[in-house]
Amino acid sequence: MHYESTRDSERRVTPAGAILMGLSEDGGLFVPEVIPTLPEGALSELREMNYRQRAVYVMRLFLPDYSVAELTDTVSRAYSPGGFDTPAIAPVKMLDRNTGFLELWHGPTCAFKDMALQVLPRLLTSAAAKNGEKRQICILVATSGDTGKAALEGFANVEGTRILVFYPRDGVSHIQKLQMTSQEGRNVGVCAVNGNFDDAQTTVKEIFSDPGLREELSRRGWMLSSANSINWGRLLPQIVYYVSAYCDLLNAGDIREGERVNFCVPTGNFGDILAGYYARRMGVPINRLICASNKNDVLTDFLHTGVYDKNRDFYTTVSPSMDILVSSNLERLLYELSGRNDRETAGYMASLKEQGRYQVSRGIREGLDSLFAAGSCDDQETKAVIARTYANGGYLIDTHTAVAYGVLEKYRRETGDDTLAVVVSTASPYKFCGAVLEALGERPETAGPELIGRLEQVSGVPAPRPLKALLGKSVRFDRSFDREQLPGVVRDFLA
Ligand SMILES: *Cc1c(COP(=O)(O)O)cnc(C)c1O
């Protein structure tokens, strides 16, 4: 099996090559040339497995150039009892008869990004070896908050790699910032960018597509790669938890074999929900994928109108990991829904770059309408959802998950669709203590990690250990830069 670029399907690379390069040189994203389907009876087999075995099973279908032993080793280290605080790894909690929460925040940094970023470093270093790559790998990451920390934790002290993370200076929560700026490890760097997430992401993409800079770094023994969700190695481990959640629902008797379920996904860069799309294509009985946005509702508008238009105000919200106007992974979906038309996909992306907008074809719109639903929640609604969910039985959710649950409730009211739905729960509420406390009627005066204890007292829900450990950590990285300075920052980091 090969992978091809969404902007030029003649550009073909091996699976390991796709993971190593991250982004195609034409600016496109790599996708598998065919999406493997689950063979007859696979779900019955997968039901009997634990999370790690399910991960090997699914990943093997997409990565034929990795051995089963290699994948087994990668997955066992990634989803280890030391890193995850529950043996289920990604448990589904049923809130009522037809609403489940897929908890993806039991890993070392308490957000769903761990699901992929605990796996990616090993996929990447194996890929380098398979490709006979002699250079060391420098990972560049633009983060809206959670990716940065998860990538730092995944790559810290990994031989042959360095990692440099850029986050929007005023665009992440206090706890997210401290998680990153206190990161330990000899191969890590963290910088604030004066701008928002899109500024950081666009600059990182420009650095990747700057042949002069790449060549200069290459001469010095470095290759650049990405840990952003544009890397296939990020997306693939995310497909696993959709498959796994379906198996868990079957095992718990919440659904019958073959019964379809909906997933409602709090969405920013479109990586998480796209993994759900691939799971559906593989044959997991998924009915609708419901895309939930915060006040930055560019995706909601897109899914309702077929017009993607980023020329709009950017809002800073209580769900910062979704404060995004350019959802990179949408490109992969456009490629699939256009019938894998590289010219058409490249055209949309050129129009996005030049005019900040594009309108998709009728064919794509029909595809979108048949698979997706969409909605948004502003901050006030989000907090009301947190309060309500906690009041009805003590279940505490974070701001991102609350956006999704709020959108699911609206969807159900509007459509009457009461299919069992799984809300993808993407972060521990303790990563966003300030907003969650406010939702519960408190008035926190500060924003630091001292709020963790306060939220524990107010809610009676224990905080995850890695977040409690932040109290007393010191800041190692405190510099901020303008966009134009970032190429220089990369040069210095690798000097
Ligand atoms: C990254 C993130 C999201 C958005 O996921 P995408 O894959 O970017 O759509 C939602 N919630 C949390 C907590 C996140 O960290």
Side-chain angles (χ1 to χ4, degrees), residues 121-122 125 136 153-162 186-187:
R122 290 177 191 98
T125 45
Q136 299 196 71
E153 197 63 35
F155 281 96
N157 298 329
V158 171
E159 269 322 305
T161 72
R162 279 195 203 171
R186 50 192 151 69
N187 61 337

Side-chain angles (χ1 to χ4, degrees), residues 368-386:
L368 294 172
D369 289 346
S370 68
L371 298 168
F372 291 89
S376 65
C377 275
D378 65 20
D379 281 357
Q380 211 185 337
E381 292 172 296
T382 304
K383 287 182 185 168
V385 171
I386 294 173

Side-chain angles (χ1 to χ4, degrees), residues 460-475:
V461 176
R465 218 165 0 114
L467 294 181
K468 278 193 182 171
L470 280 176
L471 280 158
K473 283 249 160 95
S474 51
V475 170

Side-chain angles (χ1 to χ4, degrees), residues 30-47:
F30 288 117
V31 290
E33 60 180 345
V34 281
I35 298 169
T37 47
L38 293 172
E40 186 75 35
L43 284 170
S44 315
E45 248 180 273
L46 283 156
R47 278 177 75 166

Side-chain angles (χ1 to χ4, degrees), residues 392-458:
N392 295 338
Y395 190 55
L396 193 64
I397 56 178
D398 95 290
T399 46
H400 304 74
T401 308
V403 167
Y405 190 30
V407 167
L408 175 65
E409 288 178 321
K410 288 189 204 185
Y411 168 82
R412 283 175 165 164
R413 273 198 304 275
E414 283 160 17
T415 61
D417 179 0
D418 67 348
T419 306
L420 187 146
V422 177
V423 174
V424 177
S425 178
T426 49
S428 159
Y430 281 93
K431 281 195 94 159
F432 305 96
C433 288
V436 173
L437 278 164
E438 281 171 18
L440 299 183
E442 299 287 308
R443 298 201 181 285
E445 294 80 26
T446 59
E450 59 279 6
L451 291 185
I452 292 172
R454 175 123 168 240
L455 183 54
E456 275 190 317
Q457 272 174 357
V458 170

Side-chain angles (χ1 to χ4, degrees), residues 182-221:
S182 65
Q183 177 67 43
E184 290 161 19
R186 50 192 151 69
N187 61 337
V188 304
V190 178
C191 332
V193 178
N194 303 319
N196 62 31
F197 170 68
D198 288 313
D199 296 324
Q201 174 160 264
T202 307
T203 313
V204 167
K205 281 188 186 166
E206 282 164 9
I207 292 174
F208 274 110
S209 47
D210 177 346
L213 181 58
R214 287 182 84 114
E215 203 170 301
E216 176 193 331
L217 296 175
S218 183
R219 276 198 307 273
R220 285 159 43 190

Side-chain angles (χ1 to χ4, degrees), residues 476-490:
R476 288 181 69 199
F477 305 100
D478 58 1
R479 296 186 64 190
S480 60
F481 299 89
D482 291 332
R483 277 187 58 165
E484 302 69 42
Q485 295 175 285
L486 300 189
V489 170
V490 175

